[in-house]
Amino acid sequence: MAIEAKKKGINNLIVPKDNLQEASLVSDINIFAFETLIDVVKFLEDTSIYNNF
């Protein structure tokens, strides 16, 4: 998944926490890993993070 994302020019990727190690093998892409969808929603709702992209 991370390799395809990078090929398509995607710089930021959200993955399940269990897949973090595998996704981290791809360089030059930001990987965000979460345990639950609630955590993902909270992350996406935090608009301050978008100032860094």
Side-chain angles (χ1 to χ4, degrees):
M1 177 189 327
I3 293 171
E4 279 301 310
K6 183 176 179 179
K7 286 180 184 177
K8 293 182 179 194
I10 296 170
N11 298 319
N12 302 299
L13 187 63
I14 293 175
V15 300
K17 191 172 182 180
D18 290 343
N19 296 92
L20 176 60
Q21 186 176 4
E22 179 183 352
S24 296
L25 296 174
V26 178
S27 61
D28 299 323
I29 189 168
N30 299 312
I31 307 293
F32 301 94
F34 299 97
E35 289 189 23
T36 68
L37 287 175
I38 292 172
D39 294 334
V40 173
V41 170
K42 288 178 184 178
F43 173 77
L44 294 174
E45 287 180 337
D46 182 2
T47 57
S48 65
I49 63 164
Y50 299 111
N51 296 329
N52 298 321
F53 298 113

